[in-house]
Amino acid sequence: MAHIQIQDLNKSFGDTSVLRGIDLSIHEGEFLAILGPSGCGKSTLLRIIAGLETHDSGHVRMGGSIMDGLAPKARDVAVVFQSYALYPHMTVAQNLALPLVMRETTRVQRLPFMGHISSVVKRKRVDIQSAVERAAAQVRIAELLDRKPAQLSGGQRQRVALARALIRKPKLFLLDEPLSNLDATLRASTRTEIVQLQKRLGTTAIYVTHDQTEAMTMADRIAIMIDGRVAQVGTAREIYDRPKDVHAALFVGTPKMNLFDGRIDGGVVRLAKTGMVLAHTADAIDGPIRVGIRPEHVVLKTEFDEGAIPVVETHREFLGSEALIHFGIGGGAPDISGVARLDPDALDKLAPGQTVSACFRPGGLHLFDQSGLRLELSGENLSPAATTALSDKETALDERPIPIIAGI
Amino acid sequence: MNARSPSSLASERPSPAPSAAGVLKAPPHLASTFIGWSFVLPFLVALSMFVLAPTAAVIAISFTDWQLGRDTISFVGLENYRALLTARVPRISAANTIIYALMVTPLSVILGLWLAILIESSPMGRAFFRSACFLPVVSTTVAMAIVWEFLLHPTLGPVNSALLLFGLPAQRFLSDAALVLPTLAFIAIWENAGYTMVLFVAGLKSISAELYDAAAVDGADRPWERFWTVTFPLLGPTMVFVVIIMLLRSFRVFETVATLTGGGPRRASEVMLYTIYQEGFQFFQIGYASAITVVFVAFLLLLTLVNFRLMDRSVHYK
């Protein structure tokens, strides 16, 4: 259990700069997910924290002390690797025992037959044996101790890897996409199990993944990494509701946030293509911007209100609990496209190919400047079209039954 | 060969009808059987011509008194085998071969493994060192043997010059009965190490880097610990193969003996293949040579099987 602090960490492989000034602080006992697309440097960051890779500059602190340059075994961390990295020639019990054997016995004590000669070694071996049994019981693999990894299923191997990590009660767990080799059902149940285990042990954990569902469901906080930088750190809610930059906004949420070109002219925020007025602001910043809106904040209606955009449905997806309508704006060959999330019942009220009106829910707008950073505007950050259109029909977000056609 | 599945597939079709031209075609299952056999036949012909038939012939000849160039041949039963048990040369030869193999096999394996790990862990020049070590393997043994003969020459050879330079006595490497087998073994190790090195390099490359990472996190990060925790166990399957290949290769030693020593001095470098060659093609005792061959082959077969069994038990395959 430790408080981890990463300070201005840089790393490059040859000419490729992989990590550029990472600053990150992980509280004691926290479960932090590092979420990012492949190649963003998240695994390298994990390897640097583990001591498996050296960094060029910056510091890694663990519980106050600097870890830079220390060998992995001196850091008291445990890693669960993507491929599990179990020793294939050893039984499960031997796999679990190895970290303890290497740590608690000397080279001489590790020699064969020492258990018969020295009572100290004998006692240590008994202790290790009972630790192995305890760890195996914690992840429910007690009956597999005599098997070799090749005789185990993917899920069982994963448990062995977890047990090997927790057996010596490390200060920090590092998990590198540990669920990516499991099938969907197993992944969902293992997710909960890992979180419960981590909370029970109270050990700080860093979990690297490219899967936003894993990050959002498991972690206390998420660090979004893009191109070797931390784009945003926060709870799943914070990141989803107030993405700090356009990459974080696009990376979190399925389907992706809709992104349109917009501009601000004298305090009026408009869609660049149609000139539709989206919001008013008191801030005097003019120029092109990007406008983001999550699919559930797009409202489709059959009636046309003033200010609403006429859109044509191009494709629909029924997903059971929700439905997605892909739409295009701008006549025959739509050059702006977007997605709306609807109640599945609303699908019936909408004929395929029909032209409908789209407006945006209040508070659903995300504005980003040209460099991709979030713009926080003072004043009414509201879609006037949406306010007028919604005022009489729906006011609260959780009002599911909507008269005509509506989002969630 | 199992031709059943294609033929059963084919027989599901309706029975063959005469084609429009009225020509009867072979039933489909016959056709697929024929295709199956036509794939296997070339191999079967070659196997019987070059392996099975000669082996059978050697076994048959070993029960006769046939001499090369003689027209008469008569069955002598186990006479050749009885002679073999009492003869002096085959016994010396067998002992020499075993001693030679016991020197060559372990040292070739250890040296090759050492070279492979050294080369793979070196930051640069891997391709160069790999090729350099592999050169002795691709060169003709007889040609290399002649080079070694010059290098080890009692008076002209640079090896002896070097010994003299350090104040050591010059050695007659190839004509000293105590030195000749170790010298031949040394040449073989020099030649084999490149071969075992290449096999070990392939084995090393198949070991996942994550295992070394796991070992480092678990506390096994010193070179020796890494070797015993990860490298050596995971090279197991390669090791079985390399040891067996090296045993068979060293039992088969012939070229260096024939080129450099002719089995001498005083039979100190007499080895099995050379004895067989002499009995058969210099003394023309083909029947007797065949009997030695049969015993030799049976021994090698047994050795390989025992080896496989013993090593297989302690090796893990993925």
Side-chain angles (χ1 to χ4, degrees):
Chain A
M1 275 147 279
H3 169 233
I4 317 292
Q5 211 171 6
I6 294 156
Q7 226 175 9
D8 194 27
L9 202 69
N10 288 287
K11 169 77 184 173
S12 43
F13 292 111
D15 292 338
T16 341
S17 157
V18 186
L19 299 180
R20 315 167 194 209
I22 303 276
D23 284 302
L24 204 56
S25 169
I26 300 126
H27 312 309
E28 205 165 311
E30 187 181 24
F31 194 119
L32 180 98
I34 299 178
L35 174 66
S38 52
C40 71
K42 54 191 193 300
S43 287
T44 309
L45 177 60
L46 189 91
R47 292 174 58 82
I48 289 176
I49 299 172
L52 294 167
E53 196 86 65
T54 56
H55 51 277
D56 301 339
S57 64
H59 300 292
V60 177
R61 282 197 180 80
M62 209 177 283
S65 41
I66 289 192
M67 292 287 123
D68 306 344
L70 278 186
K73 64 175 176 186
R75 299 188 180 209
D76 204 8
V77 297
V79 185
V80 177
F81 293 92
Q82 188 173 4
S83 67
Y84 315 138
L86 302 176
Y87 308 110
H89 55 289
M90 297 183 184
T91 62
V92 169
Q94 288 167 330
N95 264 286
L96 298 189
L98 189 84
L100 291 181
V101 171
M102 296 311 289
R103 222 153 265 262
E104 286 169 19
T105 56
T106 63
R107 265 180 278 187
V108 176
Q109 290 175 334
R110 256 176 257 147
L111 293 174
F113 307 117
M114 280 305 283
H116 301 288
I117 301 165
S118 148
S119 60
V120 178
V121 177
K122 196 172 182 182
R123 202 173 55 241
K124 275 187 182 173
R125 289 193 180 172
V126 171
D127 288 348
I128 289 173
Q129 188 54 38
S130 57
V132 164
E133 281 159 16
R134 272 198 309 276
Q138 277 182 310
V139 294
R140 293 182 285 115
I141 49 163
E143 70 285 1
L144 303 176
L145 282 177
D146 295 328
R147 301 234 197 127
K148 295 234 172 129
Q151 298 164 296
L152 303 179
S153 71
Q156 290 170 330
R157 280 181 217 181
Q158 151 88 68
R159 283 160 188 282
V160 178
L162 279 176
R164 189 176 63 179
L166 61 86
I167 190 163
R168 60 186 164 76
K169 305 186 176 73
K171 285 198 197 119
L172 174 66
F173 281 139
L174 299 169
L175 302 104
D176 188 3
E177 310 223 6
L179 303 183
S180 55
N181 289 334
L182 301 182
D183 63 59
T185 348
L186 203 53
R187 208 179 294 172
S189 61
T190 315
R191 242 165 28 201
T192 352
E193 242 173 284
I194 291 180
V195 175
Q196 285 170 350
L197 199 62
Q198 190 264 344
K199 290 288 170 248
R200 201 164 66 229
L201 299 169
T203 311
T204 317
I206 300 179
Y207 186 102
V208 159
T209 181
H210 65 267
D211 184 324
Q212 49 167 306
T213 322
E214 275 175 28
M216 294 175 87
T217 53
M218 298 173 79
D220 298 323
R221 283 192 309 153
I222 300 173
I224 303 242
M225 257 185 88
I226 286 165
D227 276 342
R229 287 196 181 85
V230 176
Q232 186 169 6
V233 188
T235 62
R237 185 85 216 209
E238 283 163 11
I239 291 172
Y240 190 80
D241 287 349
R242 297 180 69 79
K244 263 189 178 167
D245 85 358
V246 75
H247 301 292
L250 289 176
F251 196 73
V252 172
T254 330
K256 275 186 185 177
M257 177 187 273
N258 297 302
L259 206 60
F260 307 111
D261 287 332
R263 61 170 195 275
I264 305 183
D265 278 326
V268 184
V269 182
R270 292 170 190 275
L271 267 193
K273 209 80 190 177
T274 64
M276 175 191 177
V277 177
L278 299 172
H280 297 279
T281 173
D283 294 344
I285 32 167
D286 285 1
I289 54 160
R290 310 191 78 187
V291 179
I293 179 115
R294 298 227 177 256
E296 59 269 31
H297 295 142
V298 177
V299 182
L300 297 182
K301 306 192 314 165
T302 43
E303 305 145 15
F304 283 82
D305 294 307
E306 194 192 340
I309 324 162
V311 299
V312 185
E313 178 194 331
T314 53
H315 177 60
R316 55 170 63 184
E317 292 173 63
F318 173 73
L319 299 169
S321 62
E322 63 182 44
L324 301 175
I325 298 278
H326 297 252
F327 58 82
I329 305 174
D335 40 12
I336 308 181
S337 56
V339 190
R341 175 176 275 145
L342 306 185
D343 189 282
D345 295 336
L347 273 187
D348 305 333
K349 297 166 190 158
L350 189 66
Q354 189 184 352
T355 302
V356 288
S357 80
C359 51
F360 304 143
R361 275 177 198 278
L365 278 189
H366 305 270
L367 306 183
F368 304 99
D369 66 15
Q370 280 303 86
S371 63
L373 288 177
R374 185 182 185 89
L375 276 177
E376 293 290 357
L377 298 182
S378 55
E380 288 177 287
N381 187 8
L382 290 181
S383 158
T387 34
T388 53
L390 295 171
S391 54
D392 51 331
K393 297 195 180 90
E394 39 166 312
T395 44
L397 288 173
D398 53 354
E399 269 178 13
R400 242 353 191 12
I402 287 157
I404 307 171
I405 299 163
I408 292 165
Chain B
M1 190 205 58
N2 183 5
R4 191 187 295 165
S5 52
S7 66
S8 66
L9 254 182
S11 62
E12 280 168 19
R13 274 188 270 159
S15 57
S19 68
V23 182
L24 271 171
K25 278 187 183 166
H29 66 274
L30 271 187
S32 69
T33 309
F34 172 76
I35 291 169
W37 278 106
S38 70
F39 277 114
V40 177
L41 214 59
F43 166 72
L44 285 182
V45 168
L47 182 75
S48 10
M49 265 175 65
F50 297 113
V51 179
L52 298 180
T55 310
V58 166
I59 294 172
I61 291 169
S62 73
F63 296 111
T64 69
D65 65 349
W66 187 47
Q67 294 190 1
L68 198 62
R70 234 174 51 177
D71 296 340
T72 56
I73 180 166
S74 52
F75 181 74
V76 294
L78 291 174
E79 176 55 31
N80 284 328
Y81 292 92
R82 199 195 54 75
L84 181 57
L85 278 179
T86 50
R88 201 174 116 309
V89 176
R91 224 176 328 157
I92 296 172
S93 175
N96 282 340
T97 312
I98 289 172
I99 293 169
Y100 174 87
L102 287 181
M103 285 190 281
V104 172
T105 307
L107 290 175
S108 302
V109 171
I110 292 169
L111 186 64
L113 180 57
W114 183 71
L115 282 173
I117 292 174
L118 205 66
I119 289 173
E120 277 308 292
S121 60
S122 109
M124 53 183 191
R126 283 188 212 175
F128 170 77
F129 288 118
R130 263 203 305 262
S131 327
C133 292
F134 198 62
L135 269 182
V137 186
V138 289
S139 19
T140 318
T141 309
V142 173
M144 288 301 110
I146 291 166
V147 175
W148 277 106
E149 188 172 29
F150 162 71
L151 288 174
L152 300 171
H153 192 277
T155 49
L156 305 172
V159 174
N160 271 323
S161 313
L163 283 181
L164 289 173
L165 202 69
F166 288 108
L168 297 167
Q171 300 293 335
R172 287 154 47 243
F173 290 103
L174 293 170
S175 43
D176 182 329
L179 278 181
V180 66
L181 260 193
T183 305
L184 290 175
F186 178 84
I187 296 174
I189 294 164
W190 167 80
E191 194 181 351
N192 288 340
Y195 185 58
T196 54
M197 179 272 296
V198 165
L199 295 171
F200 281 127
V201 163
L204 285 176
K205 282 199 188 297
S206 70
I207 300 178
S208 144
E210 274 196 348
L211 277 178
Y212 288 108
D213 289 343
V217 173
D218 288 343
D221 60 352
R222 293 194 198 92
W224 207 234
E225 292 165 350
R226 282 160 60 92
F227 180 78
W228 287 115
T229 314
V230 179
T231 315
F232 187 72
L234 275 116
L235 278 180
T238 317
M239 189 63 81
V240 173
F241 178 73
V242 169
V243 166
I244 285 169
I245 289 285
M246 277 304 117
L247 266 181
L248 294 180
R249 255 175 95 110
S250 47
F251 272 106
R252 265 182 4 214
V253 57
F254 177 76
E255 291 101 323
T256 44
V257 173
T259 326
L260 298 179
T261 67
R266 287 174 288 115
R267 307 222 180 271
S269 64
E270 181 89 28
V271 290
M272 284 314 282
L273 273 198
Y274 193 73
T275 309
I276 293 168
Y277 161 76
Q278 269 200 321
E279 292 294 347
F281 300 102
Q282 289 188 324
F283 310 145
F284 304 131
Q285 304 283 353
I286 296 289
Y288 184 50
S290 298
I292 306 178
T293 310
V294 169
V295 173
F296 184 51
V297 169
F299 170 73
L300 286 188
L301 208 64
L302 192 74
L303 186 78
T304 310
L305 283 176
V306 168
N307 227 309
F308 247 126
R309 281 285 158 79
L310 281 183
M311 296 183 77
D312 225 27
R313 230 180 279 160
S314 51
V315 163
H316 110 92
Y317 295 91
K318 268 174 203 152

